[in-house]
Amino acid sequence: MHLDIHTIIDLLFIGNFISAAVLIAYQSSRRLQTPYLQFLAGKILQTLAWLLLGLRGEVSDLLSVHLGNSLLLTAFSLEALALATVKKPNRDCTILFPILGACSIAAFLLFAGHPGSVRIVVASSATMLIYGAMNLFILRDTTGSVLHKTIGASYLLFNFILFFRAGFAFIFPDMILMSNMPIQEMTFLPLYLLMLVGGIGFILLLKEQNDLLLQESEEKYRTLVEGAHEAIAIIQDQLIVFANQKSADLVGMPLTDLIGRPFVDFIWPDDLKTVMENYEKRMRGGKIADRYDMRIIGPDDTPLWLAVSAKWIQWQSRPASLDLMTDITRRKQLEEERERIIGDLQRALSEVKTLSGLLPICASCKKIRDDQGYWNQIEIYIKNHSQATFTHGICPECMKKLYPEVYEKMLRTEDAEDRQVA
């Protein structure tokens, strides 16, 4: 099948227009990346360039030749920069390709007044230089994927075609852009295929890069979740749809058995009503405490106290509850023990009777006057106002005074015992 050069240029215009539209649709809901914007700008500029080149003879040479080729070389530079840096930023590329683009445009404009064959040699050489530099960066990257290097090889192959085109233009000085020569078809048809390869390949490279970033993000997320000291669970439709190993350890069952179980199966019966009310209110978007304490059924059917921090989230595009749980059973036990000790101390203190203040006491008989005005023997008063009790005896002085005979007898007995010891 024979295609004239006008038809091929029209196809290049349509193809680049569609490529730009597909790129816009593909990235419409994603975070815009610099290489993506560069490649998209390149496709838009190529669309305008091929439109102006296709109007050769219908519009002025200023638009078709000068502006059209300048836009085309700018587009090739942006496309090459995007492909060279799509995997990772490269400062050298960011500096080099704008310089190559500017020098290519300057060289073309310098020879724009020369015959068409000269312009073909200059434009082809400039394009080879741009794509050659791109391949240098791609093939030197030891971390590049097979897809990335395959795309680079496609552009390298196109460079050889451009080399032959420049050679033919040099040999045939009458050759112009619209010449229906086999070498023209051999150049522009591969350029059309390269447009498809470059466009589709770039989208695949973006997806490859996004998949890699997603994989790294998931790995970091998995490490964070599995290494967390808290039990983490996601509850949707009252079912546990996600949980980490710490959650399974709390209830004493394999993680695979925990997923898919109703969360109410693990709530301590006395707390079930409160927990369900909180869950249902959270799912309705109501305001509840972000953190509260609850009990679950432990591995040995004993209650485990948990401090729960819950939040409403979207899980697979549906509402769910993200719960972070910390085992506070030991803390609760210590709190209960503390309360028990405090209670015991308070009871003990309430039973302690103390004496304080000024006590009115008789200077003669030593009786004490109570609050009602009655005079009490000192031992009775102290017994009634403290925990002390009394036992009665008699001191030696009182015994000598009250019972002198008994006192003398006790002295003789003590002296006899002392002599025996001596």
Side-chain angles (χ1 to χ4, degrees):
M1 181 180 66
H2 177 72
L3 294 175
D4 60 35
I5 197 66
H6 278 284
T7 303
I8 297 175
I9 290 177
D10 289 342
L11 290 175
L12 286 169
F13 163 73
I14 295 171
N16 280 282
F17 177 81
I18 294 174
S19 296
V22 170
L23 282 168
I24 293 173
Y26 173 78
Q27 197 73 6
S28 60
S29 61
R30 293 169 171 81
R31 181 176 60 87
L32 295 181
Q33 303 165 343
T34 301
Y36 162 79
L37 294 175
Q38 292 165 346
F39 197 85
L40 176 61
K43 288 300 177 183
I44 293 174
L45 291 180
Q46 280 198 59
T47 303
L48 296 174
W50 291 118
L51 175 63
L52 293 174
L53 291 173
L55 295 175
R56 180 71 57 85
E58 300 179 23
V59 297
S60 67
D61 286 349
L62 180 64
L63 292 176
S64 180
V65 178
H66 297 73
L67 181 59
N69 282 281
S70 297
L71 290 176
L72 195 60
L73 291 171
T74 303
F76 289 161
S77 299
L78 287 170
E79 184 177 322
L81 175 59
L83 286 169
T85 59
V86 66
K87 303 295 289 184
K88 59 183 179 181
N90 189 309
R91 185 172 177 272
D92 293 338
C93 290
T94 306
I95 297 173
L96 177 62
F97 284 102
I99 294 175
L100 289 178
C103 291
S104 298
I105 294 171
F108 182 84
L109 294 178
L110 183 63
F111 291 93
H114 289 69
S117 59
V118 176
R119 295 197 299 265
I120 290 175
V121 171
V122 173
S124 298
S125 300
T127 305
M128 283 191 291
L129 183 62
I130 293 170
Y131 286 159
M134 179 194 75
N135 272 282
L136 181 64
F137 284 101
I138 292 176
L139 297 178
R140 275 176 44 188
D141 185 8
T142 56
T143 63
S145 64
V146 175
L147 174 62
H148 199 194
K149 294 185 183 300
T150 302
I151 294 172
S154 301
Y155 280 80
L156 185 61
L157 179 62
F158 182 68
N159 264 10
F160 287 107
I161 298 174
L162 287 176
F163 176 78
F164 286 111
R165 180 175 185 249
F168 269 86
F170 186 78
I171 296 171
F172 299 98
D174 295 334
M175 182 177 173
I176 59 173
L177 174 66
M178 296 302 176
S179 298
N180 287 310
M181 301 173 63
I183 188 61
Q184 292 286 70
E185 293 183 12
M186 288 176 58
T187 302
F188 285 100
L189 284 178
L191 180 60
Y192 184 82
L193 295 176
L194 188 67
M195 176 197 66
L196 297 177
V197 171
I200 296 172
F202 186 77
I203 290 177
L204 292 177
L205 284 173
L206 284 178
K207 185 179 184 303
E208 185 179 73
Q209 189 69 4
N210 288 334
D211 290 345
L212 180 61
L213 293 175
L214 179 60
Q215 183 180 353
E216 292 176 353
S217 177
E218 288 177 348
E219 186 63 30
K220 292 177 183 177
Y221 170 78
R222 188 180 299 108
T223 302
L224 178 64
V225 169
E226 294 302 331
H229 294 294
E230 294 83 5
I232 301 174
I234 296 177
I235 299 170
Q236 190 176 68
D237 300 328
Q238 299 189 17
L239 300 178
I240 301 172
V241 295
F242 173 84
N244 63 351
Q245 185 59 45
K246 189 71 174 180
S247 301
D249 294 341
L250 282 178
V251 296
M253 67 168 50
L255 183 59
T256 53
D257 295 342
L258 181 63
I259 303 300
R261 289 279 299 273
F263 80 95
V264 295
D265 291 353
F266 305 98
I267 306 301
W268 191 254
D270 293 343
D271 294 349
L272 182 59
K273 181 179 178 182
T274 302
V275 172
M276 281 300 300
E277 288 176 353
N278 287 342
Y279 172 78
E280 291 173 354
K281 191 172 182 179
R282 189 182 309 112
M283 290 299 97
R284 292 194 300 267
K287 289 188 175 296
I288 63 171
D290 292 334
R291 186 179 177 88
Y292 59 91
D293 297 343
M294 56 167 276
R295 289 170 291 181
I296 65 169
I297 302 172
D300 53 356
D301 294 332
T302 57
L304 288 180
W305 276 99
L306 300 180
V308 181
S309 178
K311 185 178 181 181
W312 185 95
I313 63 168
Q314 283 279 343
W315 177 261
Q316 296 180 348
S317 303
R318 296 179 55 223
S321 176
L322 172 63
D323 297 340
L324 278 69
M325 298 162 286
T326 304
D327 187 355
I328 58 170
T329 304
R330 179 59 180 162
R331 191 186 81 187
K332 286 289 186 179
Q333 291 172 346
L334 293 175
E335 289 177 354
E336 291 176 0
E337 180 67 14
R338 183 191 65 186
E339 294 298 325
R340 184 188 66 78
I341 293 174
I342 291 174
D344 291 344
L345 290 173
Q346 289 175 340
R347 284 191 298 272
L349 289 173
S350 67
E351 296 173 358
V352 172
K353 299 178 180 179
T354 59
L355 294 174
S356 63
L358 298 175
L359 298 178
I361 186 169
C362 176
S364 176
C365 67
K366 307 304 181 185
K367 288 184 178 180
I368 298 176
R369 187 180 65 195
D370 61 20
D371 296 337
Q372 285 76 36
Y374 295 103
W375 292 90
N376 299 280
Q377 291 183 351
I378 188 169
E379 63 267 28
I380 294 175
Y381 185 89
I382 292 176
K383 180 179 180 181
N384 291 336
H385 290 80
S386 72
Q387 298 296 314
T389 57
F390 289 87
T391 60
H392 290 81
I394 189 168
C395 68
E397 292 181 359
C398 291
M399 181 175 287
K400 181 178 180 180
K401 180 179 178 182
L402 298 174
Y403 307 102
E405 299 84 358
V406 176
Y407 179 73
E408 292 295 333
K409 185 177 180 180
M410 288 180 60
L411 284 179
R412 287 194 296 271
T413 303
E414 290 178 357
D415 290 342
E417 290 176 352
D418 289 340
R419 286 194 295 271
Q420 290 178 357
V421 171

